[in-house]
Amino acid sequence: MDVVGVEGEAAAGSAGGVRAVPAAGEWEREPHPSDSLRTFGAVVQALREHAGLSRADLGARVQYSKHTVESVELGRRMPDEAFVERAEEALGNTGALRKAARHLTRGEAGLAAWFRRWARLEREAVSLCTYECRLVPGLLQSEGYARAVFEGTIPLRTDEELEVQLAARMARQVMMRERPTVPFSFIVEEHVFRRQFGDAEAMRGLLDHVLELTAPRNVTLQVVPVEARLHACLDGPLQILETSEGRRLGYSEGQQNGRLISDPKEMILLCQRYDTLRSQALNPTESRDLLEQLRGEL
């Protein structure tokens, strides 16, 4: 789920679609290029090269500089409506650019590149299951805990970068509050809640936050006690979601990488592992009692 510090958490990227035409005919470079921008740029480049045009040639036809054409092709800039329409006309009127432009989205600040696709799927999922054995899941982290996680990562972040990622992680939790009919299931190892990250007050704040977020009827938290035996999910953290079409997808993450899992046979196996662990973990009532106990020990 979340890499020690950068999970796909949350960032609130802008909605899809092209921007209004800027007054000066140029626009600012995108700070966080998205996959859709890079793909759109690759299509522009392929059509331009097929037409035998240089970037300067295309720039003259769309009334933008060759540097702007280059930035669009490299996914560094969001093309405005004028660019899309003029490029469409200059490159054969196939309709490819107009259709592709409808799916353009901005990059998402605070979101690891390898997590972006999963984050988009997650926001539309009809159910979400999370198993975590390293740290408190991003959807349940208190602000103090999240800040401590970001501050401890390597390479070190600037204060500005830290605040952007912290805001993104906190914003992601809004999804749980805004979707009261979507089932959220969390299975977390007990030692995760015992790991110290600050003083007693900070630890209490974390436990209070977790208890609050998991109180609604659509949210289930189960803790795997330290005395539990070895179980089926020891290969690492795991997330499983179900789409509105009834398809199940998975996501696993490690050091500086993440993997979206779509193979049906592999998903059957992962779902079986998660369901088995559910039966081995404490039930929701026992899990809340344990967190209350941990809080009382502080």
Side-chain angles (χ1 to χ4, degrees):
M1 194 233 307
D2 30 70
V3 163
V4 183
V6 184
E7 173 194 64
E9 316 247 319
S14 300
V18 294
R19 290 199 324 193
V21 181
E26 301 286 351
W27 52 90
E28 294 300 317
R29 174 172 173 165
E30 291 292 310
H32 303 281
S34 66
D35 292 339
S36 65
L37 282 175
R38 293 190 180 97
T39 301
F40 180 86
V43 173
V44 172
Q45 181 174 354
L47 291 175
R48 174 181 61 77
E49 293 176 347
H50 181 74
L53 301 175
S54 67
R55 285 172 173 163
D57 293 334
L58 179 58
R61 297 192 182 194
V62 298
Q63 301 173 40
Y64 287 96
S65 71
K66 67 176 182 179
H67 301 294
T68 296
V69 172
E70 178 182 18
S71 292
V72 170
E73 290 185 349
L74 295 177
R76 294 173 179 167
R77 295 181 187 271
M78 172 74 81
D80 62 19
E81 186 174 358
F83 183 97
V84 174
E85 287 300 318
R86 294 169 188 168
E88 182 69 70
E89 294 173 4
L91 298 175
N93 263 322
T94 63
L97 296 184
R98 291 191 187 97
K99 291 179 180 179
R102 298 172 190 166
H103 303 285
L104 286 174
T105 59
R106 298 190 184 285
E108 297 166 300
L111 197 63
W114 56 85
F115 193 87
R116 290 172 182 166
R117 186 179 176 190
W118 177 261
R120 291 193 290 270
L121 291 167
E122 183 183 63
R123 288 193 288 270
E124 302 299 326
V126 298
S127 70
L128 179 66
C129 299
T130 300
Y131 165 66
E132 185 55 75
C133 57
R134 304 167 303 173
L135 72 170
V136 175
L139 283 174
L140 300 180
Q141 292 178 7
S142 66
E143 183 173 338
Y145 185 94
R147 182 179 294 277
V149 169
F150 285 129
E151 288 178 343
T153 56
I154 296 176
L156 296 177
R157 292 171 171 78
T158 65
D159 290 343
E160 181 180 355
E161 289 171 336
L162 190 150
E163 292 302 326
V164 168
Q165 292 182 318
L166 181 62
R169 184 156 298 188
M170 294 298 99
R172 183 167 175 247
Q173 295 179 4
V174 174
M175 173 180 66
M176 294 179 63
R177 298 186 176 94
E178 291 181 341
R179 309 186 72 193
T181 61
V182 173
F184 291 89
S185 170
F186 298 92
I187 301 178
V188 185
E189 299 282 351
E190 178 184 344
H191 68 80
V192 166
F193 294 113
R194 289 186 175 275
R195 185 183 297 277
Q196 298 289 316
F197 74 94
D199 58 18
E201 181 179 357
M203 290 294 295
R204 283 193 291 269
L206 167 65
L207 295 173
D208 287 342
H209 189 71
V210 172
L211 288 167
E212 176 187 355
L213 289 179
T214 57
R217 289 183 294 111
N218 65 310
V219 184
T220 302
L221 171 65
Q222 292 182 257
V223 176
V224 182
V226 291
E227 62 268 20
R229 298 188 178 185
L230 300 180
H231 55 73
C233 286
L234 292 177
D235 283 348
L238 171 67
Q239 289 194 71
I240 298 172
L241 63 73
E242 182 179 0
T243 69
S244 58
E245 296 81 21
R247 187 183 184 193
R248 289 191 172 182
L249 302 172
Y251 179 78
S252 64
E253 196 166 82
Q255 295 282 343
Q256 296 300 109
N257 64 78
R259 184 168 74 99
L260 178 64
I261 304 165
S262 59
D263 179 74
K265 292 183 179 180
E266 189 170 359
M267 284 310 305
I268 290 175
L269 179 63
L270 294 179
C271 289
Q272 289 175 342
R273 290 178 180 178
Y274 192 88
D275 289 341
T276 299
L277 184 57
R278 268 179 168 161
S279 68
Q280 297 171 323
L282 299 177
N283 66 42
T285 300
E286 294 169 336
S287 297
R288 292 184 67 82
D289 288 345
L290 177 57
L291 292 190
E292 293 281 8
Q293 175 187 329
L294 294 179
R295 189 188 187 289
E297 294 173 357
L298 296 171

